[in-house]
Amino acid sequence: MTFAEDIIVKPLLTEKGYDGIADKKYTFIVKKSANKTQIKLAVEKLFGVQVESVNTVNCKGKLKRMGRNQGYTPDYKKAIVQLKAESKTIEYFDSLS
């Protein structure tokens, strides 16, 4: 059994993510094995909001080099969550907009 706290890893704060806050679109890094239904239920439980839709993107890690050594940053899964119009906003993001 997975808990809501295990599915949502952390919020993703980027310039494009800041633009979506006004439209009630929030971006999170989520567990790679989580599906859209699990993400929707986790956001609704953690933040007490109503989710309209969830879009997910599997992001590949970037190549990084330090001198002769090179490697990749970890892969991650990104979820863009659209809230319903009548839903309240997520308080964590209110101070950022």
Side-chain angles (χ1 to χ4, degrees):
M1 184 169 126
T2 57
F3 296 102
E5 294 83 7
D6 296 333
I7 293 174
I8 306 294
V9 177
K10 63 180 181 179
L12 185 62
L13 304 173
T14 60
E15 289 183 24
K16 191 172 184 179
Y18 286 125
D19 293 339
I21 292 175
D23 300 329
K24 293 189 178 180
K25 281 189 179 181
Y26 302 100
T27 309
F28 298 97
I29 293 179
V30 296
K31 189 175 177 182
K32 285 185 72 170
S33 61
N35 59 30
K36 291 182 180 186
T37 306
Q38 291 173 332
I39 296 167
K40 177 181 177 177
L41 295 174
V43 170
E44 287 177 346
K45 181 180 177 189
L46 286 176
F47 301 108
V49 294
Q50 297 173 348
V51 175
E52 183 176 335
S53 66
V54 176
N55 295 330
T56 58
V57 180
N58 285 312
C59 299
K60 188 170 167 53
K62 295 180 181 179
L63 178 66
K64 296 290 183 178
R65 295 184 299 172
M66 298 264 307
R68 284 186 231 180
N69 303 325
Q70 68 180 12
Y72 286 90
T73 59
D75 298 342
Y76 61 95
K77 188 172 198 175
K78 179 169 64 170
I80 298 103
V81 178
Q82 173 70 51
L83 301 183
K84 291 185 179 178
E86 64 271 4
S87 176
K88 65 176 186 147
T89 60
I90 298 176
E91 290 84 15
Y92 175 79
F93 292 97
D94 286 342
S95 62
L96 302 175
S97 59

Coordinates of all heavy atoms in Angstrom, one line a residue:
M1 N 0.9 -1.2 0.0 CA 0.0 0.0 0.0 C 0.9 1.2 0.0 O 1.8 1.3 0.8 CB -0.9 0.0 1.2 CG -1.9 1.1 1.3 SD -3.0 0.8 2.6 CE -2.9 2.3 3.5
T2 N 0.6 2.2 -0.9 CA 1.4 3.4 -1.0 C 0.6 4.5 -0.3 O -0.6 4.6 -0.4 CB 1.7 3.8 -2.4 OG1 0.5 3.9 -3.1 CG2 2.6 2.7 -3.1
F3 N 1.3 5.4 0.4 CA 0.7 6.5 1.0 C 0.9 7.7 0.1 O 1.7 7.8 -0.7 CB 1.4 6.8 2.4 CG 1.2 5.7 3.4 CD1 2.2 4.7 3.6 CD2 0.0 5.5 4.0 CE1 2.0 3.7 4.5 CE2 -0.2 4.5 4.9 CZ 0.8 3.6 5.2
A4 N 0.0 8.7 0.4 CA 0.0 10.0 -0.4 C 1.4 10.7 -0.3 O 1.9 11.3 -1.2 CB -1.1 10.9 0.0
E5 N 2.0 10.6 0.9 CA 3.3 11.3 1.2 C 4.4 10.6 0.4 O 5.4 11.2 0.1 CB 3.6 11.2 2.7 CG 2.7 12.0 3.5 CD 1.4 11.3 3.9 OE1 1.3 10.0 3.6 OE2 0.5 11.9 4.5
D6 N 4.2 9.3 0.0 CA 5.3 8.6 -0.8 C 5.2 9.0 -2.3 O 6.1 8.9 -3.0 CB 5.2 7.1 -0.6 CG 5.4 6.7 0.9 OD1 6.2 7.5 1.5 OD2 4.9 5.7 1.3
I7 N 4.0 9.3 -2.7 CA 3.8 9.5 -4.2 C 4.3 10.9 -4.6 O 5.0 11.0 -5.6 CB 2.3 9.3 -4.5 CG1 1.9 7.9 -4.3 CG2 2.0 9.8 -5.9 CD1 0.4 7.6 -4.5
I8 N 3.9 11.9 -3.8 CA 4.4 13.3 -4.1 C 5.8 13.5 -3.5 O 5.9 13.5 -2.2 CB 3.4 14.3 -3.6 CG1 2.0 14.1 -4.1 CG2 3.9 15.8 -3.9 CD1 1.8 14.3 -5.5
V9 N 6.8 13.6 -4.3 CA 8.2 13.7 -3.8 C 8.4 15.2 -3.3 O 8.8 15.4 -2.2 CB 9.2 13.3 -4.8 CG1 10.6 13.5 -4.3 CG2 9.0 11.9 -5.2
K10 N 8.2 16.2 -4.3 CA 8.4 17.6 -3.9 C 7.8 18.4 -5.0 O 7.6 18.0 -6.1 CB 9.9 17.9 -3.7 CG 10.7 17.7 -5.0 CD 12.2 18.1 -4.7 CE 13.0 17.9 -6.0 NZ 14.4 18.3 -5.7
P11 N 7.5 19.7 -4.7 CA 7.0 20.6 -5.7 C 8.2 21.0 -6.6 O 9.3 21.1 -6.2 CB 6.5 21.8 -5.0 CG 7.1 21.7 -3.7 CD 7.5 20.3 -3.4
L12 N 7.9 21.3 -7.9 CA 8.9 21.7 -8.9 C 8.7 23.2 -9.2 O 7.6 23.5 -9.7 CB 8.8 20.8 -10.2 CG 9.8 21.1 -11.2 CD1 11.2 20.7 -10.7 CD2 9.5 20.3 -12.4
L13 N 9.6 24.0 -8.8 CA 9.5 25.4 -8.9 C 10.4 25.9 -10.1 O 11.6 26.0 -9.9 CB 9.9 26.1 -7.6 CG 9.1 25.6 -6.4 CD1 9.7 26.2 -5.1 CD2 7.6 25.9 -6.6
T14 N 9.8 26.2 -11.2 CA 10.5 26.7 -12.4 C 9.7 28.0 -12.9 O 8.6 28.3 -12.4 CB 10.5 25.7 -13.5 OG1 9.2 25.3 -13.9 CG2 11.2 24.4 -13.0
E15 N 10.3 28.6 -13.8 CA 9.6 29.8 -14.4 C 8.3 29.4 -15.1 O 7.3 30.1 -14.9 CB 10.6 30.5 -15.4 CG 11.7 31.2 -14.8 CD 12.6 31.9 -15.8 OE1 12.1 32.3 -16.9 OE2 13.8 32.1 -15.6
K16 N 8.3 28.3 -15.8 CA 7.1 27.9 -16.4 C 6.1 27.5 -15.4 O 4.9 27.7 -15.6 CB 7.4 26.8 -17.4 CG 6.3 26.4 -18.3 CD 6.7 25.4 -19.3 CE 5.6 25.1 -20.3 NZ 6.0 24.2 -21.4
G17 N 6.5 26.9 -14.3 CA 5.6 26.5 -13.2 C 5.0 27.7 -12.5 O 3.8 27.6 -12.1
Y18 N 5.8 28.8 -12.4 CA 5.2 30.0 -11.8 C 4.1 30.6 -12.6 O 3.1 31.1 -12.0 CB 6.3 31.0 -11.6 CG 7.3 30.7 -10.5 CD1 8.6 30.7 -10.7 CD2 6.8 30.5 -9.1 CE1 9.5 30.4 -9.7 CE2 7.7 30.3 -8.1 CZ 9.0 30.2 -8.4 OH 9.9 29.9 -7.4
D19 N 4.2 30.5 -13.9 CA 3.1 31.0 -14.8 C 1.8 30.3 -14.6 O 0.7 30.9 -14.8 CB 3.6 31.0 -16.2 CG 4.7 31.9 -16.5 OD1 4.9 32.9 -15.7 OD2 5.4 31.7 -17.5
G20 N 1.9 29.0 -14.3 CA 0.7 28.2 -14.2 C -0.1 28.4 -12.8 O -1.2 28.0 -12.7
I21 N 0.6 29.0 -11.8 CA 0.0 29.1 -10.5 C -1.3 30.0 -10.6 O -2.3 29.7 -10.0 CB 1.0 29.7 -9.5 CG1 2.1 28.7 -9.2 CG2 0.3 30.1 -8.2 CD1 3.2 29.2 -8.4
A22 N -1.3 31.0 -11.5 CA -2.5 31.9 -11.6 C -3.7 31.1 -12.2 O -4.8 31.4 -11.9 CB -2.1 33.1 -12.5
D23 N -3.4 30.1 -13.0 CA -4.4 29.3 -13.6 C -4.8 28.0 -12.8 O -5.4 27.1 -13.3 CB -4.0 28.9 -15.0 CG -3.8 30.0 -15.9 OD1 -4.4 31.1 -15.7 OD2 -2.9 29.9 -16.8
K24 N -4.2 28.0 -11.6 CA -4.4 26.8 -10.7 C -3.8 25.5 -11.3 O -4.3 24.4 -11.2 CB -5.9 26.6 -10.4 CG -6.5 27.6 -9.5 CD -7.9 27.2 -9.0 CE -8.5 28.3 -8.1 NZ -9.8 27.9 -7.7
K25 N -2.6 25.7 -11.9 CA -1.8 24.6 -12.4 C -0.6 24.5 -11.5 O 0.2 25.5 -11.4 CB -1.4 24.7 -13.9 CG -2.5 24.4 -14.9 CD -1.9 24.4 -16.3 CE -3.0 24.1 -17.3 NZ -2.5 24.1 -18.6
Y26 N -0.4 23.3 -11.0 CA 0.8 23.1 -10.1 C 1.6 22.0 -10.5 O 1.1 21.0 -11.0 CB 0.3 22.9 -8.6 CG -0.6 24.0 -8.1 CD1 -2.0 23.9 -8.1 CD2 0.0 25.2 -7.7 CE1 -2.8 24.9 -7.6 CE2 -0.8 26.2 -7.2 CZ -2.2 26.1 -7.2 OH -2.9 27.1 -6.7
T27 N 2.9 22.1 -10.4 CA 3.9 21.1 -10.9 C 4.6 20.4 -9.7 O 5.0 21.0 -8.8 CB 4.9 21.7 -11.8 OG1 4.2 22.5 -12.8 CG2 5.7 20.7 -12.5
F28 N 4.6 19.0 -9.8 CA 5.2 18.3 -8.7 C 6.2 17.2 -9.3 O 5.9 16.7 -10.4 CB 4.2 17.5 -7.9 CG 3.2 18.4 -7.2 CD1 2.0 18.7 -7.7 CD2 3.6 19.0 -5.9 CE1 1.1 19.5 -7.0 CE2 2.7 19.8 -5.3 CZ 1.4 20.0 -5.8
I29 N 7.2 16.8 -8.6 CA 8.0 15.7 -8.9 C 7.3 14.5 -8.2 O 7.1 14.6 -6.9 CB 9.5 15.8 -8.6 CG1 10.1 16.9 -9.5 CG2 10.2 14.5 -8.7 CD1 11.5 17.2 -9.2
V30 N 7.0 13.4 -8.9 CA 6.3 12.3 -8.2 C 7.1 11.0 -8.4 O 8.1 11.0 -9.1 CB 4.9 12.2 -8.9 CG1 4.0 13.4 -8.6 CG2 5.0 11.9 -10.3
K31 N 6.7 10.0 -7.7 CA 7.3 8.7 -7.8 C 7.2 8.2 -9.2 O 6.1 8.3 -9.8 CB 6.6 7.8 -6.8 CG 7.2 6.5 -6.5 CD 6.4 5.8 -5.4 CE 6.9 4.4 -5.2 NZ 6.1 3.7 -4.2
K32 N 8.2 7.5 -9.7 CA 8.2 7.1 -11.1 C 7.2 6.1 -11.4 O 6.7 6.0 -12.5 CB 9.6 6.6 -11.5 CG 10.6 7.7 -11.6 CD 12.0 7.1 -12.1 CE 11.8 6.7 -13.6 NZ 13.1 6.4 -14.2
S33 N 6.8 5.3 -10.4 CA 5.8 4.2 -10.7 C 4.4 4.6 -10.5 O 3.5 3.8 -10.7 CB 6.1 3.0 -9.8 OG 6.0 3.4 -8.4
A34 N 4.2 5.9 -10.1 CA 2.8 6.4 -9.8 C 2.1 6.7 -11.1 O 2.6 7.2 -12.1 CB 2.9 7.6 -9.0
N35 N 0.8 6.3 -11.1 CA -0.1 6.6 -12.3 C -0.9 7.9 -12.0 O -0.9 8.4 -10.9 CB -0.9 5.4 -12.7 CG -1.9 5.0 -11.6 OD1 -2.3 5.8 -10.8 ND2 -2.1 3.7 -11.6
K36 N -1.7 8.3 -13.0 CA -2.4 9.6 -12.9 C -3.5 9.5 -11.8 O -3.7 10.5 -11.1 CB -3.1 9.9 -14.2 CG -2.1 10.3 -15.3 CD -2.8 10.7 -16.5 CE -1.8 11.1 -17.6 NZ -2.4 11.6 -18.8
T37 N -4.1 8.4 -11.6 CA -5.2 8.2 -10.6 C -4.5 8.3 -9.2 O -5.1 9.0 -8.3 CB -5.9 6.9 -10.8 OG1 -6.4 6.8 -12.1 CG2 -7.0 6.8 -9.8
Q38 N -3.4 7.7 -9.0 CA -2.7 7.8 -7.7 C -2.3 9.2 -7.4 O -2.4 9.6 -6.2 CB -1.5 6.8 -7.7 CG -1.9 5.4 -7.7 CD -0.7 4.5 -7.8 OE1 0.3 4.9 -8.4 NE2 -0.8 3.2 -7.3
I39 N -1.8 9.9 -8.4 CA -1.3 11.3 -8.2 C -2.5 12.2 -7.8 O -2.4 13.0 -6.9 CB -0.6 11.8 -9.5 CG1 0.7 11.0 -9.7 CG2 -0.3 13.3 -9.4 CD1 1.3 11.2 -11.0
K40 N -3.6 12.0 -8.5 CA -4.8 12.8 -8.3 C -5.3 12.6 -6.8 O -5.6 13.5 -6.1 CB -5.9 12.4 -9.2 CG -7.2 13.1 -9.0 CD -8.3 12.7 -10.0 CE -9.6 13.4 -9.7 NZ -10.7 13.0 -10.6
L41 N -5.4 11.3 -6.4 CA -5.9 11.0 -5.0 C -4.9 11.6 -4.0 O -5.3 12.1 -2.9 CB -6.1 9.5 -4.9 CG -7.2 8.9 -5.7 CD1 -7.2 7.4 -5.6 CD2 -8.5 9.5 -5.3
A42 N -3.6 11.5 -4.3 CA -2.6 12.0 -3.3 C -2.7 13.5 -3.1 O -2.6 14.0 -2.0 CB -1.2 11.6 -3.8
V43 N -2.8 14.2 -4.2 CA -2.9 15.7 -4.2 C -4.2 16.1 -3.4 O -4.2 17.0 -2.6 CB -2.8 16.3 -5.6 CG1 -3.2 17.8 -5.5 CG2 -1.5 16.1 -6.2
E44 N -5.3 15.4 -3.7 CA -6.5 15.7 -3.1 C -6.4 15.5 -1.6 O -7.0 16.2 -0.7 CB -7.7 15.0 -3.7 CG -8.1 15.5 -5.0 CD -9.2 14.6 -5.7 OE1 -9.5 13.5 -5.2 OE2 -9.7 15.1 -6.7
K45 N -5.8 14.4 -1.2 CA -5.7 14.1 0.2 C -4.7 15.0 1.0 O -5.0 15.5 2.1 CB -5.2 12.6 0.4 CG -5.1 12.2 1.8 CD -4.6 10.8 2.0 CE -4.5 10.4 3.4 NZ -3.8 9.1 3.6
L46 N -3.6 15.3 0.4 CA -2.5 16.1 1.1 C -2.9 17.6 1.2 O -2.7 18.2 2.2 CB -1.2 16.0 0.3 CG -0.4 14.7 0.5 CD1 0.8 14.7 -0.4 CD2 0.0 14.5 1.9
F47 N -3.5 18.1 0.2 CA -3.8 19.6 0.1 C -5.3 19.9 0.3 O -5.6 21.1 0.4 CB -3.2 20.2 -1.1 CG -1.8 20.0 -1.3 CD1 -1.3 19.1 -2.3 CD2 -0.9 20.6 -0.5 CE1 0.1 18.9 -2.4 CE2 0.5 20.4 -0.7 CZ 1.0 19.6 -1.6
G48 N -6.2 19.0 0.3 CA -7.6 19.2 0.5 C -8.2 20.0 -0.7 O -9.0 21.0 -0.4
V49 N -7.9 19.7 -1.9 CA -8.4 20.4 -3.1 C -9.1 19.4 -4.0 O -9.0 18.2 -3.8 CB -7.2 21.1 -3.9 CG1 -6.6 22.2 -3.0 CG2 -6.2 20.1 -4.3
Q50 N -9.7 20.0 -5.1 CA -10.4 19.1 -6.1 C -9.6 19.2 -7.4 O -9.4 20.3 -7.9 CB -11.8 19.6 -6.3 CG -12.7 19.5 -5.1 CD -14.0 20.1 -5.3 OE1 -14.2 20.8 -6.3 NE2 -14.9 19.9 -4.4
V51 N -9.1 18.1 -7.8 CA -8.3 18.0 -9.0 C -9.1 17.7 -10.3 O -10.0 16.8 -10.3 CB -7.2 16.9 -8.9 CG1 -6.4 16.7 -10.2 CG2 -6.3 17.2 -7.7
E52 N -8.9 18.5 -11.3 CA -9.6 18.3 -12.6 C -8.9 17.3 -13.5 O -9.5 16.4 -14.0 CB -9.8 19.7 -13.3 CG -10.6 19.5 -14.6 CD -10.9 20.9 -15.2 OE1 -10.9 21.9 -14.5 OE2 -11.1 20.9 -16.4
S53 N -7.6 17.6 -13.7 CA -6.8 16.7 -14.6 C -5.4 16.6 -14.1 O -4.9 17.5 -13.4 CB -6.9 17.2 -16.0 OG -6.2 18.4 -16.1
V54 N -4.7 15.5 -14.6 CA -3.3 15.3 -14.3 C -2.6 15.0 -15.6 O -3.0 14.1 -16.3 CB -3.1 14.2 -13.2 CG1 -1.6 13.9 -13.0 CG2 -3.8 14.5 -11.9
N55 N -1.5 15.7 -15.9 CA -0.6 15.3 -17.0 C 0.7 14.9 -16.5 O 1.2 15.6 -15.5 CB -0.5 16.5 -18.0 CG -1.8 16.9 -18.6 OD1 -2.6 16.1 -18.8 ND2 -1.9 18.2 -18.9
T56 N 1.3 13.9 -17.0 CA 2.6 13.4 -16.5 C 3.6 13.4 -17.7 O 3.3 13.3 -18.8 CB 2.5 12.0 -16.0 OG1 2.0 11.1 -17.0 CG2 1.6 12.0 -14.7
V57 N 4.9 13.6 -17.3 CA 6.0 13.6 -18.2 C 7.2 12.8 -17.5 O 7.5 13.1 -16.4 CB 6.5 15.0 -18.5 CG1 7.7 15.0 -19.5 CG2 5.4 15.9 -19.0
N58 N 7.7 11.8 -18.3 CA 8.9 11.2 -17.8 C 10.1 11.9 -18.3 O 10.3 12.1 -19.5 CB 9.0 9.7 -18.3 CG 8.0 8.8 -17.6 OD1 8.0 8.8 -16.4 ND2 7.2 8.1 -18.3
C59 N 10.9 12.5 -17.4 CA 12.1 13.3 -17.8 C 13.4 12.5 -17.6 O 13.6 11.9 -16.5 CB 12.1 14.5 -16.9 SG 10.7 15.6 -17.0
K60 N 14.2 12.5 -18.6 CA 15.5 11.8 -18.6 C 16.5 12.7 -18.0 O 16.5 13.9 -18.2 CB 15.8 11.5 -20.1 CG 17.1 10.6 -20.2 CD 17.2 10.1 -21.6 CE 18.5 9.5 -22.0 NZ 18.9 8.5 -21.1
G61 N 17.4 12.1 -17.2 CA 18.5 12.9 -16.6 C 19.4 13.5 -17.6 O 19.6 13.0 -18.7
K62 N 20.1 14.6 -17.2 CA 21.0 15.3 -18.1 C 22.4 14.8 -17.9 O 22.8 14.3 -16.8 CB 21.0 16.8 -17.8 CG 19.7 17.5 -18.0 CD 19.7 18.9 -17.7 CE 18.4 19.6 -18.0 NZ 18.5 21.0 -17.6
L63 N 23.2 14.9 -18.9 CA 24.6 14.5 -18.9 C 25.4 15.6 -18.2 O 25.3 16.8 -18.5 CB 25.2 14.3 -20.3 CG 26.6 13.9 -20.4 CD1 26.9 12.6 -19.8 CD2 27.1 14.0 -21.8
K64 N 26.1 15.2 -17.2 CA 27.0 16.2 -16.4 C 28.4 15.7 -16.4 O 28.7 14.5 -16.4 CB 26.5 16.3 -15.0 CG 25.1 16.8 -14.8 CD 25.1 18.3 -15.1 CE 23.7 18.9 -14.9 NZ 23.7 20.3 -15.2
R65 N 29.4 16.6 -16.5 CA 30.8 16.2 -16.6 C 31.5 17.0 -15.5 O 31.2 18.2 -15.3 CB 31.4 16.5 -17.9 CG 30.8 15.7 -19.0 CD 31.5 16.0 -20.3 NE 31.3 17.4 -20.7 CZ 31.9 17.9 -21.7 NH1 32.7 17.3 -22.5 NH2 31.7 19.2 -22.0
M66 N 32.5 16.4 -14.9 CA 33.4 17.0 -13.9 C 34.8 16.5 -14.3 O 35.2 15.4 -13.9 CB 33.1 16.6 -12.5 CG 31.7 16.9 -12.0 SD 31.6 18.4 -11.0 CE 32.8 18.3 -9.8
G67 N 35.5 17.4 -15.1 CA 36.8 17.0 -15.6 C 36.7 15.8 -16.6 O 36.0 15.9 -17.6
R68 N 37.4 14.7 -16.3 CA 37.3 13.6 -17.2 C 36.1 12.7 -16.9 O 35.7 11.9 -17.7 CB 38.5 12.7 -16.9 CG 39.8 13.2 -17.5 CD 40.8 12.2 -17.4 NE 42.0 12.8 -16.8 CZ 43.1 12.2 -16.5 NH1 43.2 11.0 -16.8 NH2 44.1 12.9 -16.1
N69 N 35.5 12.8 -15.7 CA 34.4 11.9 -15.3 C 33.1 12.5 -15.8 O 32.9 13.7 -15.8 CB 34.3 11.8 -13.8 CG 35.6 11.2 -13.3 OD1 36.3 10.4 -13.9 ND2 36.0 11.7 -12.1
Q70 N 32.2 11.6 -16.2 CA 30.9 12.1 -16.7 C 29.8 11.1 -16.2 O 30.1 9.9 -15.9 CB 30.8 12.3 -18.2 CG 30.9 11.0 -19.0 CD 30.8 11.3 -20.5 OE1 30.9 12.4 -20.9 NE2 30.6 10.3 -21.3
G71 N 28.6 11.6 -16.1 CA 27.5 10.7 -15.6 C 26.2 11.5 -15.9 O 26.2 12.6 -16.4
Y72 N 25.1 10.8 -15.5 CA 23.8 11.4 -15.7 C 23.2 11.7 -14.4 O 23.3 11.0 -13.4 CB 22.9 10.4 -16.5 CG 23.3 10.3 -17.9 CD1 24.2 9.4 -18.4 CD2 22.7 11.2 -18.9 CE1 24.5 9.3 -19.7 CE2 23.0 11.1 -20.2 CZ 23.9 10.1 -20.6 OH 24.2 10.1 -21.9
T73 N 22.4 12.8 -14.3 CA 21.6 13.1 -13.2 C 20.4 12.1 -13.2 O 20.1 11.5 -14.2 CB 21.0 14.5 -13.2 OG1 20.3 14.7 -14.4 CG2 22.2 15.6 -13.2
P74 N 19.8 11.9 -12.1 CA 18.7 10.9 -12.0 C 17.5 11.2 -12.9 O 17.1 12.4 -13.1 CB 18.3 10.9 -10.5 CG 19.4 11.5 -9.8 CD 20.0 12.4 -10.7
D75 N 16.8 10.2 -13.5 CA 15.6 10.4 -14.2 C 14.5 10.7 -13.1 O 14.6 10.2 -12.0 CB 15.2 9.1 -14.9 CG 16.3 8.8 -16.0 OD1 17.1 9.6 -16.4 OD2 16.2 7.6 -16.5
Y76 N 13.4 11.4 -13.6 CA 12.3 11.6 -12.7 C 11.0 11.8 -13.5 O 11.1 11.9 -14.7 CB 12.6 12.9 -11.8 CG 12.8 14.2 -12.6 CD1 11.7 15.0 -12.9 CD2 14.0 14.6 -13.2 CE1 11.8 16.2 -13.6 CE2 14.1 15.7 -13.9 CZ 13.1 16.5 -14.1 OH 13.2 17.7 -14.8
K77 N 9.9 11.7 -12.7 CA 8.6 11.9 -13.4 C 8.0 13.2 -12.8 O 8.0 13.5 -11.6 CB 7.7 10.7 -13.0 CG 6.4 10.7 -13.7 CD 5.7 9.4 -13.4 CE 4.6 9.1 -14.4 NZ 4.0 7.8 -14.2
K78 N 7.5 14.0 -13.8 CA 6.9 15.3 -13.4 C 5.4 15.2 -13.7 O 4.9 14.6 -14.7 CB 7.5 16.3 -14.3 CG 7.0 17.7 -14.1 CD 7.9 18.8 -14.8 CE 7.8 18.6 -16.3 NZ 8.5 19.8 -17.0
A79 N 4.6 15.8 -12.8 CA 3.2 15.8 -12.9 C 2.7 17.2 -12.8 O 3.0 18.0 -11.9 CB 2.5 15.0 -11.8
I80 N 1.9 17.6 -13.8 CA 1.2 18.9 -13.8 C -0.2 18.7 -13.5 O -1.0 18.0 -14.2 CB 1.3 19.6 -15.2 CG1 2.8 19.9 -15.6 CG2 0.6 21.0 -15.2 CD1 3.4 18.9 -16.5
V81 N -0.7 19.3 -12.4 CA -2.0 19.1 -11.8 C -2.8 20.3 -12.0 O -2.5 21.4 -11.6 CB -1.9 18.7 -10.3 CG1 -3.3 18.6 -9.7 CG2 -1.0 17.5 -10.1
Q82 N -4.0 20.2 -12.7 CA -4.9 21.3 -12.9 C -6.1 21.1 -11.9 O -6.7 20.1 -11.9 CB -5.5 21.2 -14.3 CG -6.6 22.2 -14.6 CD -6.1 23.6 -14.7 OE1 -5.2 23.9 -15.3 NE2 -6.8 24.5 -13.9
L83 N -6.3 22.2 -11.1 CA -7.4 22.1 -10.1 C -8.7 22.6 -10.8 O -8.7 23.3 -11.8 CB -7.1 23.0 -8.9 CG -5.8 22.7 -8.1 CD1 -5.7 23.6 -6.9 CD2 -5.8 21.2 -7.7
K84 N -9.8 22.2 -10.2 CA -11.1 22.7 -10.7 C -11.3 24.2 -10.3 O -10.7 24.7 -9.4 CB -12.2 21.9 -10.0 CG -12.3 20.5 -10.5 CD -13.5 19.7 -9.9 CE -13.5 18.3 -10.4 NZ -14.6 17.6 -9.8
A85 N -12.1 24.8 -11.1 CA -12.3 26.3 -10.9 C -12.9 26.6 -9.5 O -12.5 27.7 -8.9 CB -13.2 26.8 -12.0
E86 N -13.8 25.8 -9.0 CA -14.4 26.1 -7.7 C -13.5 25.6 -6.5 O -13.8 25.9 -5.4 CB -15.7 25.4 -7.6 CG -15.8 23.9 -7.6 CD -15.9 23.4 -9.0 OE1 -15.9 24.1 -10.0 OE2 -16.0 22.1 -9.1
S87 N -12.4 25.0 -6.8 CA -11.5 24.5 -5.7 C -10.7 25.6 -5.2 O -10.4 26.6 -5.8 CB -10.6 23.4 -6.3 OG -9.6 23.0 -5.3
K88 N -10.3 25.5 -3.9 CA -9.4 26.4 -3.3 C -8.0 26.2 -3.8 O -7.6 25.2 -4.4 CB -9.4 26.3 -1.8 CG -8.9 25.0 -1.2 CD -8.8 25.0 0.3 CE -8.1 23.8 0.7 NZ -7.4 23.9 1.9
T89 N -7.1 27.2 -3.6 CA -5.7 27.1 -4.1 C -4.9 26.3 -3.0 O -5.3 26.1 -1.9 CB -5.1 28.5 -4.3 OG1 -5.1 29.2 -3.1 CG2 -5.8 29.2 -5.4
I90 N -3.7 25.9 -3.4 CA -2.8 25.3 -2.5 C -2.0 26.4 -1.8 O -1.3 27.2 -2.4 CB -1.8 24.3 -3.3 CG1 -2.7 23.2 -3.9 CG2 -0.8 23.7 -2.3 CD1 -1.9 22.2 -4.8
E91 N -2.0 26.4 -0.5 CA -1.4 27.5 0.3 C 0.1 27.6 0.1 O 0.6 28.7 0.2 CB -1.7 27.3 1.8 CG -3.2 27.5 2.2 CD -4.0 26.2 2.0 OE1 -3.4 25.1 1.8 OE2 -5.2 26.3 2.0
Y92 N 0.8 26.5 -0.1 CA 2.2 26.5 -0.2 C 2.6 27.4 -1.4 O 3.6 28.1 -1.3 CB 2.7 25.1 -0.5 CG 4.2 25.0 -0.7 CD1 5.1 25.1 0.3 CD2 4.7 24.9 -2.0 CE1 6.5 25.1 0.0 CE2 6.1 24.8 -2.3 CZ 6.9 24.9 -1.3 OH 8.3 24.9 -1.5
F93 N 1.9 27.4 -2.5 CA 2.2 28.2 -3.7 C 1.7 29.6 -3.6 O 2.1 30.4 -4.5 CB 1.6 27.5 -4.9 CG 2.3 26.1 -5.3 CD1 1.7 24.9 -4.8 CD2 3.5 26.1 -5.9 CE1 2.3 23.7 -5.1 CE2 4.1 24.9 -6.2 CZ 3.5 23.7 -5.8
D94 N 0.8 29.9 -2.7 CA 0.2 31.3 -2.6 C 1.3 32.3 -2.4 O 1.2 33.4 -2.9 CB -0.9 31.3 -1.6 CG -2.1 30.6 -2.0 OD1 -2.3 30.4 -3.2 OD2 -2.9 30.3 -1.1
S95 N 2.3 32.0 -1.6 CA 3.3 33.0 -1.2 C 4.3 33.2 -2.4 O 5.0 34.2 -2.4 CB 4.1 32.6 0.0 OG 4.7 31.4 -0.3
L96 N 4.3 32.3 -3.4 CA 5.2 32.4 -4.5 C 4.7 33.3 -5.6 O 5.5 33.8 -6.4 CB 5.5 31.0 -5.0 CG 6.1 30.1 -4.0 CD1 6.3 28.7 -4.6 CD2 7.4 30.6 -3.5
S97 N 3.4 33.4 -5.8 CA 2.9 34.1 -7.0 C 2.8 35.6 -6.7 O 3.0 36.1 -5.7 CB 1.5 33.6 -7.3 OG 0.6 33.8 -6.2

